Amino acid sequence: MNLLLIDLSNIPCWLIPLLVGLICAILGYLLGRLAGKGDDTSDDLDLWKRKNASLKADLDACRSQLKTASAAPVAASSSASMSSSFAAETVVTPEPTITMIPFDAAAAKAAFGKKINEDDLTVVEGIGPKIRELFHNFDIKTWASLGDTTVEKCQEVLNSGGKRFEIHRPKTWPMQAKLAAQGKWEELKKWQDEHDYGKE
């Protein structure tokens, strides 16, 4: 029994150096991993710095394009000269390109058999009072401005009114508006008589 007590009393003597060695090994391993990660972190940091610089350069380029687009006078710019996609989305009401003559109410009345008000969009076959209001909401209030409007833009105006305007086909509306703006009343009336309410 004494022998067993002596052996147990000696165990802590050899256990302490073993534990200290194990702890040193674990700490050495962890410190080695942390030191190795420091190099990877600096590479990642450089990568993120390069990406950040690239994004800043893109942002500066966009800002300069925006300044250039907004600094150009609205009157001097036309939809044909706008080359960038951002400038094409800018809302600009172009000057009419139609050669207009002064409105002749008597000639319009002679052709249509009723009084015609100047720049009344309902003269265009297919446009009624509700659709006229939709065009007015888009700042298209004259025959000349409707004549310069694309069919796609006319469709966009109709779409803004909801489903009840989907049956209308604005394919001929700019052409009819041009005839009205140019005072070609007989030609406009003849065309409307020969076609299906401006829907063809």
Side-chain angles (χ1 to χ4, degrees):
M1 186 127 177
N2 272 344
L3 189 58
L4 185 60
L5 286 175
I6 293 171
D7 285 339
L8 289 176
S9 65
N10 289 335
I11 289 177
C13 292
W14 61 267
L15 186 59
I16 292 175
L18 180 66
L19 288 175
V20 169
L22 185 63
I23 291 172
C24 288
I26 291 172
L27 285 176
Y29 173 75
L30 291 175
L31 287 174
R33 272 199 86 179
L34 286 175
K37 278 190 175 179
D39 296 335
D40 293 340
T41 306
S42 65
D43 290 341
D44 289 344
L45 184 61
D46 290 339
L47 175 69
W48 288 112
K49 283 182 180 178
R50 286 193 302 268
K51 285 185 178 181
N52 190 27
S54 173
L55 290 173
K56 282 185 179 179
D58 289 345
L59 179 62
D60 290 339
C62 289
R63 284 181 177 161
S64 67
Q65 285 180 351
L66 177 62
K67 286 180 183 177
T68 304
S70 62
V74 174
S77 65
S78 68
S79 59
S81 67
M82 292 184 185
S83 60
S84 71
S85 62
F86 179 77
E89 294 175 0
T90 306
V91 178
V92 176
T93 306
E95 294 295 319
T97 57
I98 299 171
T99 306
M100 298 184 332
I101 63 168
F103 176 64
D104 184 357
K109 184 175 183 178
F112 281 87
K114 64 180 182 179
K115 181 183 176 190
I116 302 291
N117 293 322
E118 185 175 4
D119 288 322
D120 182 6
L121 300 182
T122 60
V123 168
V124 173
E125 197 73 59
I127 296 181
K130 297 280 186 185
I131 294 175
R132 176 183 59 198
E133 290 305 313
L134 290 177
F135 277 96
H136 284 188
N137 291 340
F138 279 78
D139 203 29
I140 300 171
K141 299 179 179 181
T142 65
W143 295 321
S145 61
L146 179 57
D148 282 339
T149 304
T150 64
V151 175
E152 291 79 15
K153 181 66 175 179
C154 291
Q155 190 62 52
E156 180 185 332
V157 171
L158 287 174
N159 293 344
S160 74
K163 287 196 172 279
R164 67 182 187 165
F165 295 102
E166 288 180 356
I167 62 168
H168 298 281
R169 300 290 173 252
K171 186 169 81 173
T172 64
W173 295 355
M175 181 272 305
Q176 292 183 63
K178 284 180 187 177
L179 291 175
Q182 294 169 345
K184 298 180 179 177
W185 300 110
E186 293 293 332
E187 189 177 335
L188 176 60
K189 178 65 174 155
K190 181 181 178 203
W191 186 91
Q192 289 179 351
D193 289 343
E194 292 174 355
H195 293 81
D196 184 20
Y197 302 107
K199 293 181 182 177
E200 291 183 353

